[in-house]
Structures are given as structure tokens and as C-alpha cells.
Amino acid sequence: QGEILYSNFCESCHMQDGSGLGAEIPPLAGADYIPANQEKLACLIRHGISEEIAVNGKKYQQLMPGVEALSDVEITNIINYVNQAWSNDFGTITLGEVRVQLEACKH
């Protein structure tokens, strides 16, 4: 399910192979940002991000819109897919952990 959700909601910007889009959209494949920010990923997916971030030593400031319609389970599945896709080995996250993150970032 995570792969299908990624294809539907993330792939148009982050690409099928997780490589991102040049200097505009950061990669997810091999991205140092992902394991370093596991506690922020659920909120980032649901609410988006507008601040500058650094991924693998490059700075990105492109607005990423959130996807408010995704359920907690769907967000969990996307994170776990990204954590394991493209030779990433960033572990897994539980639904409970995602719910704690989302509760902490309610808008």
C-alpha cells in the first residue's frame, strides 16, 4: 500500500526512483534528512513544509504542500515505504508513533 500511495501522492515531485527534481525538489533515495528527521515526517506529509531544509548537503526551499486527506495509516505506510525503498535502510515507524507525531503538530 505504501508504494501505491507514494505513486499517487509523492512521485510526481520526488520521482519514481526517489531522486527528486534537480535543485527544486530534494531526493528521498539515500537522503540523510529522512533518518535524521523521522519524528517530523508524519507532520511534513500531512501539513507540508515551507522552511528551508538541507538534504545531503544541498539546501531546498521549494514549498511542499501537505496532503490533509491521508489517514494516519496511509501516512505510516508511505513513511515505511520511503524508509525501505531505493536501497534506503531507515527502519520502520509504527502507527502509534505516527499518531503521536500528528497530535504534536495539529494546526
Side-chain angles (χ1 to χ4, degrees), residues 65-82:
V67 186
E68 301 273 339
L70 289 171
S71 72
D72 298 358
V73 170
E74 290 170 326
I75 290 171
T76 303
N77 287 336
I78 289 171
I79 293 170
N80 283 321
Y81 173 72
V82 169

Side-chain angles (χ1 to χ4, degrees), residues 43-104:
C43 294
L44 192 147
I45 292 169
R46 172 140 316 143
H47 301 295
I49 187 170
S50 58
E51 72 236 23
E52 181 178 86
I53 63 169
V55 179
N56 299 339
K58 290 179 145 182
K59 295 188 184 215
Y60 296 88
Q61 185 137 12
Q62 181 71 27
L63 170 71
M64 178 184 138
V67 186
E68 301 273 339
L70 289 171
S71 72
D72 298 358
V73 170
E74 290 170 326
I75 290 171
T76 303
N77 287 336
I78 289 171
I79 293 170
N80 283 321
Y81 173 72
V82 169
N83 278 348
Q84 298 302 315
W86 321 294
S87 298
N88 286 349
D89 188 14
F90 302 147
T92 58
I93 191 166
T94 67
L95 176 59
E97 291 168 321
V98 165
R99 287 186 170 147
V100 167
Q101 287 182 32
L102 292 172
E103 188 61 35

